[in-house]
Amino acid sequence: MTRFSESVRKYEALCEQNDVPAETVMAYLVELTQRERYNLYMNFEEEMPAELEAEFDKGMERILKQEPMAHVLGYSWFYGYKMIVNGDVLIPRPETEELCAQILARIDEFFPDYEKVECADVGTGSGAIAIAVALEEPKVVMHATDISEEALVTARQNAEINGAEIDFTAGDMLEPLIAQGRKLDVLISNPPYIPADEQMEKSVVDFEPHVALFGGSDGLYFYRKIFERCRELLKEKAFMAFEMGWDQRERMSRLVEELLPEAKYEIVRDMNGKDRMLFVYFNLERKDS
Ligand code: GLN
């Protein structure tokens, strides 16, 4: 029999030796027990139930080999919603929650009197963005595409468990939406944007789908594809919202100015102060800028 405190201390030390953040241990225990952190600490000298201990040991063994905790659990949390994740989809990142919040604020600002706001999420992956935006703003009619049929299986499950109505289509980038003749108020994408030769952590490269990560030699391949054809999809007044790499401000600005000279745009920082979001406006003015 092992006390909670002993087991947690043991794994925190092992995490440090294995290049895994030590916070992962408590985060994993909170999820496994479905107990609040303070509650665990209050009973830290109690013995762990045998079944919990066995599961915790098994999971921690995988986590110590750099497997993401979300894969061990089979889910992660995004905007307060539970999202099933696996090797077919990118694990939703906290930065992407900020993208959703910023999109929702702009929908309120630009389209306050619309009954319906037509949106699409291109390269939806787990469906996290599409689902969060659709659930948070009932006016939204959400279409979502992904080239990966496997990803769409997970995205559909996520829409179902969260009660979101999303119209999913398999296909390459904007193509399925153009073929359907959609006209959008909002086009959203968190495309793969890591430059092909970038060195990344083992927990990402070994476990997450490369089709969702790498965006050509400069990381901008998919933005270019979207900028070239987005006009076919957008209504006259519309905006686009993207996640982007923190070091792409200059190249991204040049790309927008070159391919979408008539649009206005802004690059917004995330909570870590890094350039992370791009908004492109067509015939829309922001009040505070
Ligand atoms: N932000 C992710 C990462 O750093 C990449 C997401 C993406 O390419 N869209 O792993």
Side-chain angles (χ1 to χ4, degrees):
M1 282 293 204
T2 316
R3 296 172 197 276
F4 280 92
S5 59
E6 289 170 69
S7 183
V8 167
R9 268 184 227 118
K10 175 179 94 180
Y11 283 120
E12 283 177 346
L14 284 170
C15 274
E16 264 155 40
Q17 289 166 26
N18 286 276
D19 235 358
V20 173
E23 307 86 76
T24 317
V25 179
M26 279 306 288
Y28 181 48
L29 194 57
V30 164
E31 290 298 333
L32 273 193
T33 56
Q34 292 294 299
R35 281 162 66 178
E36 300 286 344
R37 199 167 285 253
Y38 75 85
N39 182 290
L40 286 168
Y41 281 128
M42 260 175 13
N43 302 291
F44 226 32
E45 298 312 320
E46 281 177 13
E47 287 186 347
M48 284 175 100
E51 225 170 273
L52 172 66
E53 188 182 347
E55 201 181 350
F56 188 53
D57 286 344
K58 222 164 70 195
M60 279 311 307
E61 204 173 296
R62 293 169 62 185
I63 290 170
L64 287 169
K65 290 187 187 132
Q66 317 266 340
E67 191 168 346
M69 180 176 82
H71 284 185
V72 175
L73 291 167
Y75 64 85
S76 76
W77 294 97
F78 185 79
Y79 224 91
Y81 302 105
K82 195 177 205 169
M83 299 287 167
I84 296 166
V85 297
N86 49 49
D88 295 328
V89 299
L90 198 77
I91 300 165
R93 308 286 203 258
E95 292 88 338
T96 311
E97 296 182 319
E98 286 190 73
L99 177 67
C100 290
Q102 300 267 1
I103 291 167
L104 290 163
R106 283 163 180 75
I107 291 176
D108 277 347
E109 180 179 337
F110 293 133
F111 312 126
D113 46 5
Y114 283 33
E115 266 173 42
K116 279 199 306 188
V117 179
E118 291 283 334
C119 301
D121 177 25
V122 174
T124 195
S126 66
I129 300 175
I131 291 165
V133 171
L135 289 175
E136 294 291 317
E137 177 48 78
K139 288 194 294 198
V140 160
V141 178
M142 184 65 79
H143 310 277
T145 70
D146 206 290
I147 195 161
S148 161
E149 302 265 6
E150 294 82 10
L152 285 180
V153 171
T154 300
R156 285 197 170 95
Q157 284 174 335
N158 282 328
E160 176 153 359
I161 63 171
N162 287 293
E165 226 175 278
I166 316 272
D167 157 46
F168 290 106
T169 320
D172 193 14
M173 304 305 287
L174 308 185
E175 276 165 29
L177 300 164
I178 292 172
Q180 291 163 349
R182 300 274 170 225
K183 289 291 167 209
L184 302 172
D185 300 297
V186 186
L187 175 62
I188 307 166
S189 187
N190 174 15
Y193 58 68
I194 309 291
D197 59 359
E198 191 151 306
Q199 297 295 315
M200 298 188 76
E201 292 161 40
K202 183 175 156 61
S203 64
V204 176
V205 191
D206 286 6
F207 294 98
E208 298 206 74
H210 290 195
V211 64
L213 286 169
F214 295 106
S217 59
D218 64 357
L220 296 180
Y221 176 77
F222 293 101
Y223 303 90
R224 216 172 271 120
K225 277 184 91 160
I226 293 174
F227 296 170
E228 278 164 0
R229 297 200 67 186
C230 60
R231 292 185 191 84
E232 295 169 54
L233 270 176
L234 296 173
K235 293 190 193 164
E236 192 195 327
K237 283 179 197 265
F239 74 90
M240 301 199 289
F242 301 93
E243 189 169 306
M244 61 181 263
W246 61 274
D247 54 357
Q248 289 169 340
R249 174 183 279 270
E250 274 175 36
R251 273 187 297 188
M252 185 66 93
S253 303
R254 261 184 273 135
L255 192 66
V256 180
E257 287 165 25
E258 182 198 333
L259 295 178
L260 304 168
E262 79 280 26
K264 292 210 166 71
Y265 70 96
E266 65 178 329
I267 289 170
V268 176
R269 295 204 170 97
D270 66 17
M271 58 198 150
N272 298 313
K274 293 187 164 169
D275 291 324
R276 182 65 66 193
M277 291 156 270
L278 166 72
F279 295 91
V280 182
Y281 308 110
F282 296 88
N283 303 303
L284 290 172
E285 286 291 341
R286 292 217 75 194
K287 286 187 206 98
D288 58 0
S289 58

